PDB file of all heavy atoms in Angstrom:
ATOM      1  N   SER A  18     -21.142   1.206   2.902  1.00 96.00           N
ATOM      2  CA  SER A  18     -20.561   1.161   4.248  1.00 96.00           C
ATOM      3  C   SER A  18     -21.592   0.694   5.271  1.00 96.00           C
ATOM      4  O   SER A  18     -21.268  -0.084   6.182  1.00 96.00           O
ATOM      5  CB  SER A  18     -19.997   2.530   4.627  1.00 96.00           C
ATOM      6  OG  SER A  18     -20.988   3.525   4.535  1.00 96.00           O
ATOM      7  N   SER A  19     -22.832   1.121   5.127  1.00 95.00           N
ATOM      8  CA  SER A  19     -23.863   0.734   6.097  1.00 95.00           C
ATOM      9  C   SER A  19     -24.204  -0.749   5.978  1.00 95.00           C
ATOM     10  O   SER A  19     -24.287  -1.461   6.987  1.00 95.00           O
ATOM     11  CB  SER A  19     -25.125   1.576   5.884  1.00 95.00           C
ATOM     12  OG  SER A  19     -24.830   2.946   6.001  1.00 95.00           O
ATOM     13  N   VAL A  20     -24.408  -1.202   4.746  1.00 95.00           N
ATOM     14  CA  VAL A  20     -24.724  -2.618   4.545  1.00 95.00           C
ATOM     15  C   VAL A  20     -23.520  -3.492   4.916  1.00 95.00           C
ATOM     16  O   VAL A  20     -23.665  -4.562   5.513  1.00 95.00           O
ATOM     17  CB  VAL A  20     -25.155  -2.869   3.082  1.00 95.00           C
ATOM     18  CG1 VAL A  20     -25.323  -4.350   2.805  1.00 95.00           C
ATOM     19  CG2 VAL A  20     -26.461  -2.144   2.794  1.00 95.00           C
ATOM     20  N   GLY A  21     -22.316  -2.998   4.575  1.00 96.00           N
ATOM     21  CA  GLY A  21     -21.112  -3.729   4.948  1.00 96.00           C
ATOM     22  C   GLY A  21     -20.968  -3.843   6.449  1.00 96.00           C
ATOM     23  O   GLY A  21     -20.594  -4.903   6.975  1.00 96.00           O
ATOM     24  N   TRP A  22     -21.291  -2.786   7.153  1.00 97.00           N
ATOM     25  CA  TRP A  22     -21.246  -2.794   8.623  1.00 97.00           C
ATOM     26  C   TRP A  22     -22.224  -3.835   9.170  1.00 97.00           C
ATOM     27  O   TRP A  22     -21.882  -4.623  10.044  1.00 97.00           O
ATOM     28  CB  TRP A  22     -21.590  -1.387   9.126  1.00 97.00           C
ATOM     29  CG  TRP A  22     -21.471  -1.181  10.600  1.00 97.00           C
ATOM     30  CD1 TRP A  22     -20.896  -2.033  11.514  1.00 97.00           C
ATOM     31  CD2 TRP A  22     -21.922  -0.050  11.351  1.00 97.00           C
ATOM     32  NE1 TRP A  22     -20.968  -1.487  12.768  1.00 97.00           N
ATOM     33  CE2 TRP A  22     -21.585  -0.278  12.695  1.00 97.00           C
ATOM     34  CE3 TRP A  22     -22.574   1.129  11.012  1.00 97.00           C
ATOM     35  CZ2 TRP A  22     -21.891   0.646  13.709  1.00 97.00           C
ATOM     36  CZ3 TRP A  22     -22.863   2.042  12.007  1.00 97.00           C
ATOM     37  CH2 TRP A  22     -22.529   1.812  13.335  1.00 97.00           C
ATOM     38  N   PHE A  23     -23.430  -3.841   8.616  1.00 96.00           N
ATOM     39  CA  PHE A  23     -24.433  -4.809   9.060  1.00 96.00           C
ATOM     40  C   PHE A  23     -23.932  -6.245   8.828  1.00 96.00           C
ATOM     41  O   PHE A  23     -24.011  -7.096   9.715  1.00 96.00           O
ATOM     42  CB  PHE A  23     -25.746  -4.572   8.300  1.00 96.00           C
ATOM     43  CG  PHE A  23     -26.871  -5.456   8.738  1.00 96.00           C
ATOM     44  CD1 PHE A  23     -27.674  -5.101   9.810  1.00 96.00           C
ATOM     45  CD2 PHE A  23     -27.123  -6.662   8.096  1.00 96.00           C
ATOM     46  CE1 PHE A  23     -28.700  -5.921  10.224  1.00 96.00           C
ATOM     47  CE2 PHE A  23     -28.151  -7.486   8.508  1.00 96.00           C
ATOM     48  CZ  PHE A  23     -28.944  -7.114   9.573  1.00 96.00           C
ATOM     49  N   GLY A  24     -23.406  -6.510   7.635  1.00 96.00           N
ATOM     50  CA  GLY A  24     -22.910  -7.851   7.332  1.00 96.00           C
ATOM     51  C   GLY A  24     -21.742  -8.236   8.217  1.00 96.00           C
ATOM     52  O   GLY A  24     -21.642  -9.389   8.670  1.00 96.00           O
ATOM     53  N   ALA A  25     -20.870  -7.275   8.494  1.00 97.00           N
ATOM     54  CA  ALA A  25     -19.724  -7.558   9.365  1.00 97.00           C
ATOM     55  C   ALA A  25     -20.192  -7.909  10.778  1.00 97.00           C
ATOM     56  O   ALA A  25     -19.610  -8.787  11.430  1.00 97.00           O
ATOM     57  CB  ALA A  25     -18.793  -6.351   9.393  1.00 97.00           C
ATOM     58  N   VAL A  26     -21.230  -7.236  11.235  1.00 97.00           N
ATOM     59  CA  VAL A  26     -21.742  -7.527  12.580  1.00 97.00           C
ATOM     60  C   VAL A  26     -22.376  -8.925  12.616  1.00 97.00           C
ATOM     61  O   VAL A  26     -22.256  -9.639  13.609  1.00 97.00           O
ATOM     62  CB  VAL A  26     -22.750  -6.436  13.021  1.00 97.00           C
ATOM     63  CG1 VAL A  26     -23.440  -6.839  14.312  1.00 97.00           C
ATOM     64  CG2 VAL A  26     -22.043  -5.109  13.209  1.00 97.00           C
ATOM     65  N   VAL A  27     -23.042  -9.310  11.516  1.00 97.00           N
ATOM     66  CA  VAL A  27     -23.607 -10.665  11.459  1.00 97.00           C
ATOM     67  C   VAL A  27     -22.492 -11.706  11.583  1.00 97.00           C
ATOM     68  O   VAL A  27     -22.599 -12.676  12.360  1.00 97.00           O
ATOM     69  CB  VAL A  27     -24.401 -10.863  10.141  1.00 97.00           C
ATOM     70  CG1 VAL A  27     -24.788 -12.326   9.967  1.00 97.00           C
ATOM     71  CG2 VAL A  27     -25.644  -9.995  10.127  1.00 97.00           C
ATOM     72  N   CYS A  28     -21.408 -11.500  10.837  1.00 96.00           N
ATOM     73  CA  CYS A  28     -20.264 -12.418  10.925  1.00 96.00           C
ATOM     74  C   CYS A  28     -19.658 -12.393  12.326  1.00 96.00           C
ATOM     75  O   CYS A  28     -19.269 -13.430  12.872  1.00 96.00           O
ATOM     76  CB  CYS A  28     -19.202 -12.030   9.891  1.00 96.00           C
ATOM     77  SG  CYS A  28     -19.732 -12.248   8.198  1.00 96.00           S
ATOM     78  N   PHE A  29     -19.580 -11.201  12.890  1.00 96.00           N
ATOM     79  CA  PHE A  29     -19.017 -11.054  14.234  1.00 96.00           C
ATOM     80  C   PHE A  29     -19.861 -11.821  15.249  1.00 96.00           C
ATOM     81  O   PHE A  29     -19.322 -12.486  16.146  1.00 96.00           O
ATOM     82  CB  PHE A  29     -18.968  -9.566  14.597  1.00 96.00           C
ATOM     83  CG  PHE A  29     -18.150  -9.259  15.815  1.00 96.00           C
ATOM     84  CD1 PHE A  29     -16.812  -8.938  15.709  1.00 96.00           C
ATOM     85  CD2 PHE A  29     -18.718  -9.299  17.074  1.00 96.00           C
ATOM     86  CE1 PHE A  29     -16.050  -8.653  16.824  1.00 96.00           C
ATOM     87  CE2 PHE A  29     -17.971  -9.021  18.196  1.00 96.00           C
ATOM     88  CZ  PHE A  29     -16.632  -8.697  18.077  1.00 96.00           C
ATOM     89  N   LEU A  30     -21.175 -11.740  15.102  1.00 96.00           N
ATOM     90  CA  LEU A  30     -22.058 -12.461  16.023  1.00 96.00           C
ATOM     91  C   LEU A  30     -21.846 -13.968  15.899  1.00 96.00           C
ATOM     92  O   LEU A  30     -21.827 -14.689  16.910  1.00 96.00           O
ATOM     93  CB  LEU A  30     -23.518 -12.092  15.732  1.00 96.00           C
ATOM     94  CG  LEU A  30     -24.581 -12.800  16.576  1.00 96.00           C
ATOM     95  CD1 LEU A  30     -24.371 -12.533  18.069  1.00 96.00           C
ATOM     96  CD2 LEU A  30     -25.978 -12.346  16.170  1.00 96.00           C
TER      97      LEU A  30
END
Side-chain angles (χ1 to χ4, degrees):
Chain A
S18 56
S19 302
V20 173
W22 185 11
F23 184 86
V26 171
V27 171
C28 294
F29 192 92
L30 178 59

